[in-house]
């Protein structure tokens, strides 16, 4: 123990740094505490403070170690970190160099998930009314996924099977670990800006809840919900529901199923198009047929008013009237004939010649019928007319008789005149 | 990638427009001139869509998130 040793600051810090390093306990220790002041440096190095009720310690987690994390640890998260104590020689601060980090206790992540879900649900991000229909005939299918592995392979395979001429634009992104959420959100935004992209598939294979954590991160959920193009989410297995799934317009149980939803079968598209062409021609023909029928109907109605039709109509009426007239005339003539015959019969009944047939005779003298003895004088010539001829006579004498008043028949008088 | 000016209908919009035309063409009171015009438009649209479908070629590409460059994608 000689005189005091004089050291430079560097020497001291270096000495302490080595002391920490050489202590087996301090270089391999687990530390329990609550996280605060999280900062993620551009290089991927993670800085935060770990504290309990009484004390705090600065922590550093290098990018190479932080890459294994599923997500950036959040404020207040209770964790167990593993690593060693060291000295940041430049500033002389004691730090804990974190090599591993895990959430303490079951349900920490889950609670956070529920809280975020609750918050975003209140904002309406998961509302059914927000869901947009997927395009039936998309142009390019945008895919956000890892460029390696089964997921993109499955999507390409299924898509190509459905449409050999499918267009896919992959925007590669890390799908787990620190920074993955930002990459996924950026990828969605990038694909959204490309016109030809009609629908965006966000896909990741199965994994633990921590593995899928990226898709529960707020910025991913907001990117999906805010995307102007329909988003299909196919994250994890069917049983894992992430907030990304809830915010998407459509949730597919697997990446293959997402491709099935996004890509129409080409043959069906072709069929549909040719069916539309046929329908177009058919409905045009029907339309023309309808017009033709309407014109025909008009023509028929119009021709009813044409001069020819009116003439024909008039001729028909004339012919009918002619017939009526003739029939009427016939009836009239017949009536007259009947009347005439009747009169004739009546006249015959009254004819004086009928009387002659019964044996009477008519006496005329000087061209006049002599109906009374007073109408003739002796010496007068007379003509006696019988039914079958006549005789000429001369009146020799006249004798008048008294006729019975009830018997007014002149015939008897005449008869008497000749007796 | 420069945003392409959207002057023509997308295939999807074209199919929708075609269906709408057929629906309109089925209306009884459609004037003749309009139905002829619709039919001609429809046939032209049909031809355009068929051509579009026939000319479609498989394209599997990836876009670089940093540079925005697009290049063919080969799954590893």
């Amino acid at each position: 123990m000689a005189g005091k040793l004089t050291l430079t600051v560097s020497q001291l810090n270096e000495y302490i740094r080595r002391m920490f390093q050489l202590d087996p306990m301090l270089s391999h220790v687990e530390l329990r505490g609550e996280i605060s002041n999280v900062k993620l440096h551009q290089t991927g190095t993670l800085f935060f403070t770990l504290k309990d009720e009484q004390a705090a310690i600065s922590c550093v987690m290098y990018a190479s170690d932080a890459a294994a994390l599923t997500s950036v640890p959040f404020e207040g998260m209770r964790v167990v970190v593993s690593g060693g104590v060291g000295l940041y020689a430049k500033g002389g601060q004691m730090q804990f160099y974190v090599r591993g980090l895990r959430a303490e206790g079951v349900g920490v992540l889950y609670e956070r998930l529920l809280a975020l879900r609750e918050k975003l649900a209140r904002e309406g991000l998961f509302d059914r009314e927000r869901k947009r229909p997927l395009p039936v005939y998309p142009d390019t299918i945008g895919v956000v996924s890892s460029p390696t592995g089964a997921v993109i392979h499955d999507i390409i395979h299924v898509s190509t099977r459905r449409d050999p001429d499918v267009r896919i634009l992959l925007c590669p992104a890390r799908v787990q670990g620190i920074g993955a959420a930002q990459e996924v959100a950026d990828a969605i935004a990038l694909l959204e800006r490309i016109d030809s992209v009609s629908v965006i598939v966000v896909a990741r294979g199965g994994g633990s809840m921590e593995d899928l954590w990226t898709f529960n991160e707020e910025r991913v959920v907001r990117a999906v919900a805010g995307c102007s193009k329909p988003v299909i989410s196919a994250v994890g297995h069917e049983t894992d529901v992430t907030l990304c799934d809830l915010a998407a317009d459509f949730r597919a149980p697997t990446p293959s199923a997402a491709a099935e939803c996004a890509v129409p079968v080409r043959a069906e598209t072709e069929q549909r198009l040719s069916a539309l062409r046929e329908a177009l021609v058919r409905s045009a023909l029907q339309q023309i047929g309808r017009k033709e029928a309407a014109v025909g109907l008009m023509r028929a109605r119009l021709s009813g008013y044409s001069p020819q039709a009116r003439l024909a109509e008039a001729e028909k009426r004339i012919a009918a009237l002619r017939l009526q007239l003739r029939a009427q005339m016939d009836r009239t003539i017949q009536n007259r004939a009947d009347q005439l015959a009747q009169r004739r019969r009546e006249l015959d009944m009254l004819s004086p010649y009928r009387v002659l047939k019964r044996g009477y005779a008519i006496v005329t003298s000087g061209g006049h019928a002599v109906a009374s003895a007073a109408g003739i004088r002796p010496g007068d010539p007379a003509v006696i007319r019988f039914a079958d001829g006549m005789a000429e006579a001369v009146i020799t004498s006249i004798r008048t008789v008294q006729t019975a008043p009830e018997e007014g028949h002149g015939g008897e008088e005449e008869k008497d005149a000749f007796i | 990638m420069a945003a392409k000016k959207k002057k023509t209908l997308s295939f999807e919009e074209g199919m929708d427009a075609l269906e709408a035309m057929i629906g309109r063409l089925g209306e009884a009171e459609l004037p003749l001139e309009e139905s002829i015009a619709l039919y001609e438009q429809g046939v032209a649209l049909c031809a355009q869509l068929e051509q579009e479908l026939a000319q479609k070629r498989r394209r599997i590409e990836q876009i670089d998130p940093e540079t925005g460059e697009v290049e063919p994608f080969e799954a590893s």
Side-chain angles (χ1 to χ4, degrees):
Chain A
M1 295 290 155
K4 284 176 186 164
L5 195 63
T6 306
L7 296 173
T8 63
V9 177
S10 297
Q11 282 170 332
L12 177 68
N13 282 3
E14 181 57 22
Y15 179 78
I16 297 171
R17 195 182 69 78
R18 284 195 187 177
M19 268 184 59
F20 281 134
Q21 226 170 31
L22 291 172
D23 187 306
M25 205 278 273
L26 288 182
S27 57
H28 289 97
V29 68
E30 283 198 340
L31 210 52
R32 170 176 291 122
E34 197 181 295
I35 283 178
S36 65
N37 295 326
V38 185
K39 282 188 192 70
L40 177 62
H41 193 258
Q42 235 178 341
T43 55
T45 302
L46 192 63
F47 298 93
F48 56 89
T49 303
L50 201 64
K51 61 180 186 183
D52 58 21
E53 285 73 20
Q54 283 89 37
I57 184 170
S58 297
C59 296
V60 182
M61 191 172 191
Y62 288 123
S64 53
D65 295 317
L69 292 181
T70 54
S71 63
V72 178
F74 49 90
E75 281 307 300
M77 185 180 184
R78 289 210 302 282
V79 294
V80 175
V81 294
S82 58
V85 181
L87 190 84
Y88 178 53
K90 226 175 182 177
Q93 294 112 347
M94 183 180 73
Q95 298 189 122
F96 194 84
Y97 291 88
V98 181
R99 286 188 290 273
L101 181 151
R102 65 173 195 272
E104 194 200 18
V106 197
V108 174
L109 276 180
Y110 191 66
E111 274 168 30
R112 183 169 167 77
L113 174 64
L114 286 185
L116 184 60
R117 178 176 173 159
E118 172 91 28
K119 173 183 152 190
L120 298 179
R122 265 203 304 275
E123 280 184 41
L125 259 60
F126 309 140
D127 287 356
R128 193 166 290 277
E129 301 79 62
R130 288 178 53 102
K131 310 286 182 205
R132 286 151 303 186
L134 300 182
V136 184
Y137 307 105
D139 184 343
T140 298
I141 316 294
V143 178
V144 177
S145 187
S146 164
T148 57
V151 170
I152 187 64
H153 178 267
D154 287 353
I155 289 176
I156 290 174
H157 179 72
V158 172
S159 299
T160 306
R161 195 183 64 211
R162 291 173 69 83
D163 181 358
D165 292 313
V166 69
R167 293 174 192 157
I168 292 175
L169 180 59
L170 168 72
C171 185
R174 284 185 296 139
V175 291
Q176 80 179 71
I178 284 178
Q182 189 63 54
E183 284 189 22
V184 169
D186 288 349
I188 291 170
L190 178 60
L191 289 176
E192 184 187 352
R193 286 197 301 272
I194 294 172
D195 270 350
S196 61
V197 172
S198 316
V199 58
I200 298 172
V201 176
V202 177
R204 190 207 188 281
S208 68
M209 188 184 182
E210 287 79 7
D211 289 341
L212 303 182
W213 191 253
T214 296
F215 298 92
N216 286 322
E217 293 223 33
E218 192 165 346
R219 67 173 43 152
V220 169
V221 181
R222 288 196 186 281
V224 168
C227 182
S228 62
K229 289 172 177 170
V231 177
I232 301 174
S233 174
V235 174
H237 297 300
E238 193 165 4
T239 47
D240 315 316
V241 180
T242 62
L243 299 186
C244 173
D245 290 328
L246 296 179
D249 296 290
F250 191 84
R251 186 198 172 208
T254 61
S256 297
E260 302 253 353
C261 298
V263 182
V265 175
R266 188 189 161 96
E268 285 172 9
T269 305
E270 285 169 354
Q271 267 171 21
R272 178 82 191 121
L273 186 54
S274 79
L276 283 180
R277 179 184 270 279
E278 280 167 26
L280 178 73
V281 172
R282 198 165 48 240
S283 52
L285 286 179
Q286 276 169 359
Q287 189 65 254
I288 289 175
R290 262 200 294 276
K291 296 286 182 273
E292 274 176 355
V295 169
L297 203 66
M298 290 293 189
R299 187 198 300 283
R301 278 177 59 189
L302 195 62
S303 67
Y305 299 109
S306 78
Q308 284 95 331
R310 298 178 73 168
L311 209 58
E313 187 67 23
E315 277 170 1
K316 244 161 58 183
R317 279 201 65 188
I318 288 168
L321 286 174
R322 192 196 300 280
L323 279 176
Q324 270 180 31
L325 192 64
R326 163 159 295 172
Q328 190 58 52
M329 280 298 286
D330 287 352
R331 270 197 301 279
T332 307
I333 291 168
Q334 189 62 47
N335 279 348
R336 289 281 190 281
D338 289 351
Q339 277 174 12
L340 195 62
Q342 180 66 25
R343 294 279 157 78
R344 188 177 189 86
R345 275 195 300 280
E346 287 170 10
L347 207 57
D348 282 352
M349 296 289 276
L350 300 174
S351 170
Y353 299 103
R354 273 181 68 97
V355 181
L356 300 188
K357 281 182 185 167
R358 300 212 309 260
Y360 295 91
I362 301 167
V363 179
T364 59
S365 179
H368 300 287
V370 180
S372 158
I376 198 161
R377 271 190 293 266
D380 282 352
V383 176
I384 305 163
R385 165 101 198 212
F386 302 98
D388 57 349
M390 48 189 127
E392 292 182 6
V394 175
I395 302 301
T396 54
S397 64
I398 302 293
R399 192 176 60 237
T400 53
V401 291
Q402 216 51 48
T403 55
E406 60 276 349
E407 289 178 40
H409 291 299
E412 266 179 50
E413 283 172 49
E414 286 168 34
K415 193 181 163 188
D416 285 347
F418 300 105
I419 294 165
Chain B
M1 184 177 238
K4 216 168 38 181
K5 186 94 182 112
K6 215 168 189 180
K7 57 183 187 300
T8 52
L9 293 179
S10 71
F11 190 83
E12 172 117 6
E13 288 164 339
M15 291 292 269
D16 286 349
L18 193 53
E19 284 195 45
M21 282 178 187
I22 292 166
R24 182 104 176 85
L25 214 45
E27 289 170 16
E29 298 80 17
L30 192 69
L32 185 64
E33 290 76 13
E34 207 174 318
S35 46
I36 289 170
L38 260 181
Y39 174 71
E40 283 173 358
Q41 283 172 28
V43 167
L45 185 54
C46 257
Q48 183 194 322
L49 292 172
E50 281 162 352
Q51 193 187 14
E52 209 170 299
L53 203 56
Q55 285 176 346
K56 194 174 168 188
R57 289 287 171 270
R58 176 184 155 101
R59 219 159 58 198
I60 311 287
E61 295 169 322
Q62 79 174 316
I63 183 166
D64 188 317
E66 304 291 325
T67 63
E69 270 172 43
V70 175
E71 52 185 30
F73 174 74
E74 296 298 331
S76 48

